Structures are given as structure tokens and as C-alpha cells.
Amino acid sequence: QVQLVESGGGLVQAGGSLRLSCAASGRTFSTTVMGWFRQAPGKEREFVAASSWSGGSTLYSDSVKGRFTISRDNAKKTVYLQMNSLKPEDTAVYYCAAKLFTISTMPTDFGSWGQGTQVTVSS
């Protein structure tokens, strides 16, 4: 298992930017696929972005493609989510998650989760 702690959430106006961080501890981070998911009130948890262990392969949901960027620093055991051009519909609790082996967009494929960080975008 890997332990994950998110940070960087907050309140921002529409059009603004935030950078989320997720610090990992536990098993070898450099071989772990990392993902970001979000959950808005009354909605199911949805995929946002994912990165392969090397960072060489990334996936994004259509709703954030071109606005959000996932990156990772394996030396610091940290994954980031840079969020630009934020919209009110991006308001949600954002979670980072970890899994082994292949990159995925399915929440059920990820075995380790952080506690989440709130992102609120005002109009």
C-alpha cells in the first residue's frame, strides 16, 4: 500500500488557476501509476487525469483536456495537477489515487486513495 496526502485546494474565481499536490509514502513510488479523480456533491466520483509511472503516458478526461496538466516528480514522490482556466463546474473534492502496472481511468482499478482536497470555483 501507498499512503497519499493531497494539498493545494482552495477557493478561486472562474478563469483562475490552482496547483494540487499529492505526496506519497510507502511502496516504491516510481513504479506506481498515479491518478486524479474528483467528486462533486450528489455526483459519482469521476476520472480527471492519470500518469504512468514514468510520466511518459498521460490520460485526461474530455472535460479537462487542454486546461489541466498532470505531472510527477519521482524523486520527491509527488504528483501534481496544474489546473488552469478553472470553471464553476470544476468545483469538487479532488482525490489522488495510486495503482500498480497499467494506466487506467477507472476508480475501481485504484487501490490507494488520499483524503481529498476541496476545490471551489466561484463565478
Side-chain angles (χ1 to χ4, degrees), residues 24-99:
S25 61
R27 69 168 181 245
T28 305
F29 179 77
S30 60
T31 59
T32 300
V33 171
M34 299 299 298
W36 286 97
F37 296 80
R38 66 187 182 187
Q39 188 166 18
K43 295 188 176 182
E44 293 188 353
R45 192 167 297 189
E46 66 171 357
F47 169 75
V48 175
S51 169
S52 64
W53 65 270
S54 68
S57 177
T58 56
L59 296 174
Y60 296 93
S61 68
D62 288 342
S63 61
V64 307
K65 197 173 296 182
R67 300 188 298 123
F68 291 11
T69 303
I70 187 171
S71 62
R72 62 192 293 163
D73 184 334
N74 286 345
K76 295 182 178 179
K77 295 186 178 181
T78 301
V79 64
Y80 306 97
L81 186 68
Q82 178 66 44
M83 305 186 295
N84 299 330
S85 302
L86 282 161
K87 305 174 181 180
E89 51 264 44
D90 294 318
T91 295
V93 177
Y94 283 71
Y95 298 89
C96 72
K99 70 180 297 293

Side-chain angles (χ1 to χ4, degrees), residues 10-27:
L11 174 64
V12 64
Q13 288 189 333
S17 298
L18 281 175
R19 189 176 81 154
L20 305 184
S21 299
C22 175
S25 61
R27 69 168 181 245

